[in-house]
Amino acid sequence: MTDVLTMQDALLTLQKYWTDRGCMVVQPYNTEVGAGTMNPNTVMRVLGPEPWHVAYVEPSVRPDDSRYGENPNRLQTHTQFQVILKPDPGNPQELYLGSLEALGIDLDAHDVRFVEDNWQQPAIGAWGLGWEVWLDGMEVTQFTYFQQVVGQNLEPVAVELTYGMERILMALQGVTHFKDMAYAEGISYGEVFAQNEYEMSRYYLDDADVDAARAFFKEYTDEAQRLIDARLPVPAWTYVLKSSHAFNILDSRGAVSTTERARSFSLMRRLARETGALWSERRAELGHPLLKGDAATSRVRELAEAAASAPNITQPVEKPEPAPTADELGDARQTFAFEIGVEEMPPHVLDATIPAVREAVTSALASTRLEHGDVAVVGTPRRIVVTVPGVSAHEPDSETLAKGPKVAAAYKDGAPTKALEGFARGKGVSVDDVVTAEFDGAQHVAVKQTQTGRGVLEVLGEIVADVVSGLRSDKNMKWNDPQLTFSRPIRWVVALWGKHVVPATVGSLTTGRTTYVARTAAQPHVDVAAADELVPTLETAGFVLDPTARRRQVVDGALALAKSVGGTIDIDGEAGLVDEITNLVEEPHGVLGTFEERYLELPEQILTTVMRKHQRYLPVRDASGTLMPYFVTMANGSIDDDVVRAGNESVLRARYEDAAFFWEADLKVPLDDFRAQIDKLTFENRLGSFAQRADRIKDVSTKLAASVELTGDEQATLSRAGALAKFDLSTAMVVELSSLAGTMAREYALKAGEAPAVADALFEMEKPRSAGDSLPSSTPGALLALADRFDLLTAMFAIGAKPTGSSDPFALRRAALGVVSILRGVPAVAAISVSDGLDAAAARLREQGVEVSGEALASALEFVEGRFGHQLRDEGVSAALVTALSPSAGTPGRAAAVLADVEALRDDEAFRALVQVTQRITRIVPAGTQPGFDVSVLTDEAEKTLAPLVEALPDHSGDSLTQWFADASGLTEPLNRFFDDVLVMADDEALKAARLGLLQSVIAKAPAGIDYKELDRALDV
């Protein structure tokens, strides 16, 4: 016999663990499912009111994960162990961790973390919030609080645990390839399943008949609909699953376009919703059998209650304390402290919640009469901690005046009126007790009222309840407490004033003094004696509560580890990742890992993308910035460094093997073949394939190039890069890691022998990817990037797919910002206007037969100009200056130059005076007035002096403000004298026309595209 836990043993162990905690064991489903979620024992049973605790093994088939059995960690059929806890028992994380311990995982040695996962399954209209559970960097479980399934909101909420058994067993057995796992005594995983992996991978990736799969998809969806119509939800769901598998086969063959994907998802989502609705109807018709209080159901409840009270795996349970007497409270000021205990919040939610709680507590205290010190709020993924020193023991009494009727209405001939008597009666006083006081400048009768101050515990209790119940995030969820909603479940609340508990009830929670430290601590629940001891108690447990201090510890630890191997970390370049890591841990513990140097042969962007995006690792570089074969991961708390290092290295090795697999496969395919393959990918069914889109981009870039001076080499680069545009969308690497689009185009182009300028243009075509990203540095790259975005914007507005509210599925806002950023930031293309680009794109679309209306173009232009305004405001440009530039919004390059001139000249008093007198002209001269004047008509000395100066002024309408100012500053004094001495709107029509024409001539020679009235306002800010 061996001491190694085999796969078979692990499955039996989990079955035993969960059956001991009230779960029923069922069997895998008898058709292909992509995950245990799709088994009706999950997807249907979580609907409706019936309780459901179930556990089962599910072989899950994912054609896209096919790797011919070569990748150590990716299989087309992998083993999941599925658990459903409905309703949420209140401590599912603790129960889950207990199951890991049952498998022999030492929670003190390993780094087990709950990392944000906002799960959704569009194909069945389902979503939930929870985490990926990481074991030493490897995702081993998906942990989700289902919120909606097949379009139905869940009540009660169900918890789903989906264990990735191969990954867990590889870690437990210390093997680096799935084939080497012990499946049973004396039998390896590879001996049993390697043949399946190879042959099914061949089928899914190479041999599956696309036409047959499409036919299957149609037949299965048709049959599902027929069975729904027949009111048979169980067989209907079987055919929904079969259609999903047929779709996955098509996807693995690269035969699904963006539009086809959306259309197929829409169909499957509708079928899933109709099946789910029918299932719910049928369960209701059957009387919801599992709601009956029979012996079996009672036994399930007993077991679930026993599990919830198991030692060391529960949430804090507060012990009631007697209310303190007035003498016990005393009159001295005390510290107020409270802690909101939460299951792991996502990093960005922690960032938003700390200031939100600070503002809520500050505002709430300000509305009371309690004296208090400054509010301090800190937090970690599992807790928000508030401390307020010097909070008084009670509010002082206050005297207020209750306003009554006006004095004139309160007395008549010195006697009280009925109005006064009614007012006094309503206040419970005699008319003799009223006084006279002024309200809003008028004399009224009033009654003095004394408001007795409340005690501190009453006041603070209300604040705690309001703050906790008011917590919200960008995505909120429900759990087993129907009165609360937040990003993740709130499980405990500590609230203390001095040594006294601040009593409050929030949903099903009661405040107390018991905090929850590390789940793996010998004593996870610790009583806090007094408010001043809350923060020290948590810090003694190892937590770094202040995010700033925690970030500093992350940075210092990572740099020290990198230095130990002669490297460093680009902290500024990795600032966003460092911020995320800071909010993933309560107690940062850095671990240095390494990987084989042979992986450095892969393009650096692949390696760093995997490290950052998938693993949250910090890449280590040498002094020159070259990537080294090391990384730093930040564990949470005390762990066994060697165990955690080995686990993370194994995870990264598997991911790099995946990347190497894609890289090597892609290098075997000529670029022109990749370019041809994108013709099979439909961009949008009304707009054609990605190949047609790429052709449009090429032609639009050529059209735009007519407005730009290109060298012969640049023209050749633009032509060749345009011919290859978007080819990398059909590469395996970009299909797997879509964020590498453009990056892989450059890498593959260089490997194929294309000119470096062509490769760079293909890379720059995708830039900027986001706000603040670098811009194309070459003119061909900038032209392709503009053409890409102009085509997308014009096409989507043409078919009515413009953004609405928060919905922007084609990222048109990002595309518009890309346009204005390039036109502002790349001088070579600054002369191109937004209208130029949209018109060129519209003409090319019309050649393809796509109708582009004038209204659509006008809307697209307005949209892009609007994004330009948003961009300027985000940069801190004043609203007045943004409005001043609005006439140039359609030429962002021109507007950027004007903005730069304004910033350079705004402190020059002479410039401000010139703008002021210029805007005065725009206010007086009617719109449509033509420049030019008959000097012989002029009569006044001031206008005769001004006229030759205006005639001599060069035309600066297309020039910069700086150039105009240099020549026009001498007009300021003559213009002001003109306005002082001359009546512009003379009775003589010829004289009036000459004077208006003279003034308009000044405007005509001033830089165009500027609202001078708003510029004058902006300069006064």
Side-chain angles (χ1 to χ4, degrees):
M1 296 292 290
T2 177
D3 292 333
V4 173
L5 184 73
T6 66
M7 172 71 81
Q8 180 173 274
D9 293 335
L11 294 173
L12 292 172
T13 297
L14 286 176
Q15 284 190 350
K16 177 69 165 59
Y17 178 86
W18 286 108
T19 53
D20 286 349
R21 283 150 184 81
C23 288
M24 179 175 67
V25 172
V26 297
Q27 302 307 310
Y29 206 50
N30 57 359
T31 192
E32 295 95 341
V33 297
T37 305
M38 303 294 278
N39 186 314
N41 280 302
T42 289
V43 71
M44 294 297 150
R45 292 289 185 178
V46 298
L47 304 176
E50 295 173 280
W52 186 247
H53 285 197
V54 70
Y56 56 92
V57 178
E58 189 68 67
S60 299
V61 182
R62 296 182 181 175
D64 261 355
D65 283 343
S66 298
R67 298 294 185 272
Y68 306 102
E70 297 172 5
N71 184 276
N73 227 15
R74 297 283 283 269
L75 302 92
Q76 56 80 31
T77 299
H78 62 282
T79 310
Q80 292 184 342
F81 189 86
Q82 180 84 352
V83 177
I84 294 296
L85 304 174
K86 175 192 174 189
D88 158 28
N91 63 337
Q93 283 186 314
E94 289 74 15
L95 290 171
Y96 168 75
L97 291 172
S99 75
L100 296 187
E101 288 185 307
L103 289 172
I105 295 173
D106 184 349
L107 299 181
D108 291 323
H110 291 273
D111 181 33
V112 179
R113 263 185 292 160
F114 294 86
V115 180
E116 175 190 11
D117 181 43
N118 297 326
W119 176 83
Q120 59 180 338
Q121 175 56 278
I124 61 169
W127 71 275
L129 300 182
W131 308 271
E132 298 173 355
V133 183
W134 287 10
L135 176 65
D136 302 331
M138 178 184 291
E139 181 190 352
V140 294
T141 304
Q142 187 171 347
F143 189 128
T144 307
Y145 289 88
F146 282 142
Q147 302 296 299
Q148 187 181 82
V149 174
V150 295
Q152 296 183 35
N153 294 328
L154 300 191
E155 180 58 46
V157 167
V159 177
E160 179 201 49
L161 305 174
T162 303
Y163 298 74
M165 295 306 300
E166 283 83 4
R167 294 184 176 191
I168 293 173
L169 267 294
M170 285 175 65
L172 288 175
Q173 295 181 11
V175 299
T176 58
H177 201 293
F178 75 86
K179 293 179 182 177
D180 299 326
M181 279 189 296
Y183 192 87
E185 181 71 26
I187 300 174
S188 74
Y189 197 103
E191 290 168 342
V192 180
F193 296 113
Q195 179 184 355
N196 301 40
E197 282 302 308
Y198 174 76
E199 293 186 9
M200 292 308 298
S201 294
R202 273 282 309 273
Y203 171 71
Y204 291 136
L205 299 180
D206 305 313
D207 296 327
D209 187 300
V210 170
D211 291 336
R214 281 205 170 93
F216 289 151
F217 181 79
K218 185 178 188 310
E219 289 176 8
Y220 294 150
T221 52
D222 287 348
E223 183 67 357
Q225 184 64 64
R226 189 183 70 81
L227 292 166
I228 290 169
D229 294 341
R231 300 195 80 249
L232 297 172
V234 175
W237 184 250
T238 298
Y239 279 94
V240 172
L241 291 177
K242 288 182 180 294
S243 68
S244 177
H245 185 60
F247 173 87
N248 290 339
I249 293 173
L250 289 169
D251 203 19
S252 69
R253 296 284 282 133
V256 181
S257 70
T258 300
T259 304
E260 187 177 1
R261 181 183 305 277
R263 188 168 56 246
S264 299
F265 276 11
S266 176
L267 173 58
M268 290 187 287
R269 183 164 52 247
R270 178 180 63 77
L271 293 172
R273 290 187 177 195
E274 291 181 7
T275 304
L278 185 57
W279 166 273
S280 296
E281 290 175 17
R282 292 286 296 124
R283 295 303 291 176
E285 290 168 4
L286 294 170
H288 294 128
L290 292 176
L291 285 179
K292 295 180 179 179
D294 55 27
T297 304
S298 297
R299 177 61 179 152
V300 167
R301 288 174 179 155
E302 288 174 12
L303 289 169
E305 289 170 3
S309 61
N312 203 32
I313 57 169
T314 61
Q315 302 290 350
V317 177
E318 294 299 342
K319 300 174 285 294
E321 296 187 8
T325 65
D327 287 342
E328 290 172 331
L329 285 174
D331 293 323
R333 293 189 182 189
Q334 303 283 353
T335 295
F336 166 49
F338 81 97
E339 174 192 30
I340 306 168
V342 187
E343 294 179 359
E344 280 79 352
M345 288 177 280
H348 73 280
V349 173
L350 178 57
D351 277 338
T353 302
I354 289 174
V357 169
R358 183 185 300 114
E359 171 60 27
V361 174
T362 301
S363 297
L365 283 171
S367 68
T368 74
R369 299 195 301 280
L370 290 176
E371 297 179 356
H372 60 86
D374 293 336
V375 176
V377 184
V378 291
T380 75
R382 288 184 63 212
R383 64 196 77 236
I384 300 293
V385 179
V386 179
T387 54
V388 187
V391 180
S392 56
H394 48 73
E395 296 176 316
D397 295 343
S398 67
E399 189 175 81
T400 60
L401 285 175
K403 183 176 74 170
K406 289 183 177 180
V407 171
Y411 298 96
K412 183 174 182 180
D413 299 330
T417 64
K418 289 185 177 180
L420 174 57
E421 292 173 343
F423 170 66
R425 188 166 51 250
K427 297 300 180 183
V429 299
S430 164
V431 293
D432 296 331
D433 295 325
V434 301
V435 297
T436 301
E438 182 177 305
F439 293 88
D440 298 325
Q443 292 294 311
H444 289 254
V445 294
V447 171
K448 292 182 180 179
Q449 294 183 320
T450 299
Q451 187 174 13
T452 304
R454 296 173 297 167
V456 64
L457 298 187
E458 177 187 353
V459 176
L460 295 181
E462 291 180 4
I463 290 175
V464 169
D466 289 345
V467 169
V468 175
S469 61
L471 287 177
R472 294 294 184 274
S473 70
D474 56 336
K475 290 185 174 70
N476 297 293
M477 59 169 281
K478 294 282 190 180
W479 54 97
N480 69 337
D481 193 331
Q483 297 180 51
L484 296 179
T485 180
F486 188 48
S487 172
R488 296 298 185 272
I490 302 167
R491 295 300 191 186
W492 75 94
V493 181
V494 173
L496 299 167
W497 179 77
K499 65 180 182 179
H500 304 289
V501 171
V502 175
T505 299
V506 190
S508 62
L509 297 174
T510 301
T511 54
R513 66 173 68 250
T514 306
T515 187
Y516 194 178
V517 293
R519 296 185 181 96
T520 56
Q523 296 295 329
H525 305 140
V526 178
D527 285 348
V528 182
D532 284 327
E533 297 181 26
L534 176 59
V535 168
T537 297
L538 295 172
E539 290 177 340
T540 299
F543 304 140
V544 184
L545 299 177
D546 183 358
T548 301
R550 196 163 61 248
R551 189 183 196 277
R552 187 162 51 248
Q553 189 166 319
V554 168
V555 169
D556 292 346
L559 288 174
L561 288 168
K563 185 178 180 181
S564 71
V565 291
T568 188
I569 291 170
D570 180 6
I571 297 299
D572 291 338
E574 305 291 353
L577 179 58
V578 171
D579 291 342
E580 182 180 8
I581 292 170
T582 298
N583 286 349
L584 281 172
V585 294
E586 292 196 287
E587 183 182 355
H589 182 109
V591 176
L592 179 71
T594 187
F595 56 88
E596 296 175 57
E597 290 196 28
R598 65 185 177 92
Y599 293 124
L600 291 173
E601 297 174 7
L602 293 170
E604 178 184 306
Q605 291 86 348
I606 296 175
L607 303 180
T608 55
T609 295
V610 168
M611 278 194 250
R612 295 187 191 106
K613 182 177 178 182
H614 293 284
Q615 298 301 133
R616 280 72 163 186
Y617 295 161
L618 292 166
V620 177
R621 301 177 182 275
D622 65 18
S624 68
T626 302
L627 195 65
M628 298 175 70
Y630 299 99
F631 63 91
V632 172
T633 183
M634 205 58 59
N636 188 37
S638 298
I639 42 88
D640 185 318
D641 285 25
D642 291 337
V643 169
V644 173
R645 179 183 300 108
N648 280 277
E649 288 175 350
S650 177
V651 176
L652 193 60
R653 183 186 309 114
R655 290 200 179 275
Y656 283 172
E657 280 297 311
D658 236 8
F661 173 84
F662 295 135
W663 172 254
E664 291 164 7
D666 286 342
L667 289 178
K668 297 173 183 176
V669 182
L671 302 191
D672 289 329
D673 287 0
F674 279 132
R675 176 60 173 78
Q677 288 172 17
I678 66 173
D679 193 39
K680 299 176 183 178
L681 301 177
T682 302
F683 169 61
E684 207 284 336
N685 60 344
R686 290 162 290 182
L687 300 170
S689 69
F690 271 99
Q692 287 174 295
R693 172 158 150 71
D695 287 340
R696 295 197 302 270
I697 291 170
K698 177 180 183 296
D699 293 344
V700 172
S701 68
T702 301
K703 176 72 172 176
L704 295 178
S707 304
V708 176
E709 293 185 6
L710 293 179
T711 66
D713 287 344
E714 287 176 328
Q715 290 175 347
T717 295
L718 180 63
S719 177
R720 179 57 180 160
L724 292 172
K726 301 291 182 183
F727 82 84
D728 58 335
L729 295 182
S730 63
T731 64
M733 187 71 77
V734 173
V735 169
E736 180 71 11
L737 296 170
S738 59
S739 64
L740 290 176
T743 298
M744 297 318 302
R746 177 173 62 184
E747 296 296 335
Y748 290 142
L750 290 171
K751 285 290 185 181
E754 296 288 342
V758 171
D760 288 342
L762 289 167
F763 169 69
E764 292 173 350
M765 177 181 176
E766 302 295 333
K767 300 184 80 66
R769 298 175 187 272
S770 59
D773 189 18
S774 60
L775 301 176
S777 59
S778 73
T779 305
L783 289 168
L784 285 167
L786 286 171
D788 184 349
R789 289 155 179 79
F790 279 131
D791 174 74
L792 179 64
L793 288 160
T794 308
M796 290 305 153
F797 273 81
I799 64 173
K802 60 185 179 181
T804 56
S806 62
S807 176
D808 187 11
F810 291 96
L812 299 187
R813 294 185 179 96
R814 185 171 63 194
L817 284 173
V819 165
V820 298
S821 296
I822 293 168
L823 294 178
R824 287 180 66 187
V826 181
V829 297
I832 297 173
S833 71
V834 176
S835 291
D836 292 338
L838 295 174
D839 288 343
R844 183 60 181 80
L845 282 161
R846 290 174 183 134
E847 287 179 19
Q848 190 180 305
V850 178
E851 181 181 348
V852 184
S853 68
E855 182 182 354
L857 278 179
S859 295
L861 175 61
E862 181 182 4
F863 178 74
V864 176
E865 291 180 349
R867 299 317 295 175
F868 180 40
H870 282 295
Q871 185 182 62
L872 292 175
R873 291 307 311 274
D874 288 344
E875 293 172 2
V877 178
S878 69
L881 187 48
V882 170
T883 305
L885 295 173
S886 60
S888 295
T891 53
R894 163 80 174 157
V898 172
L899 180 60
D901 284 346
V902 170
E903 295 304 323
L905 295 169
R906 69 181 309 142
D907 293 331
D908 190 317
E909 290 298 330
F911 174 70
R912 296 162 70 97
L914 177 61
V915 170
Q916 198 281 328
V917 75
T918 303
Q919 67 85 27
R920 190 173 180 183
I921 296 174
T922 63
R923 290 180 183 278
I924 293 174
V925 177
T929 300
Q930 295 300 309
F933 55 94
D934 183 351
V935 70
S936 66
V937 177
L938 302 176
T939 60
D940 193 281
E941 187 63 32
E943 59 192 355
K944 289 181 178 181
T945 301
L946 177 62
L949 297 176
V950 173
E951 288 180 322
L953 180 68
D955 183 358
H956 287 295
S957 58
D959 294 335
S960 69
L961 282 173
T962 304
Q963 292 170 309
W964 172 64
F965 174 55
D967 288 335
S969 58
L971 288 178
T972 303
E973 185 178 346
L975 278 168
N976 281 324
R977 189 164 58 253
F978 173 89
F979 284 123
D980 289 340
D981 298 348
V982 176
L983 176 63
V984 177
M985 298 301 185
D987 293 335
D988 186 310
E989 288 298 327
L991 181 57
K992 181 172 71 172
R995 289 172 175 173
L996 289 172
L998 173 61
L999 293 176
Q1000 187 60 27
S1001 296
V1002 176
I1003 298 300
K1005 293 183 177 185
I1010 300 171
D1011 184 331
Y1012 286 94
K1013 292 189 292 291
E1014 292 297 330
L1015 179 56
D1016 183 51
R1017 277 186 55 206
L1019 292 174
D1020 285 339
V1021 175

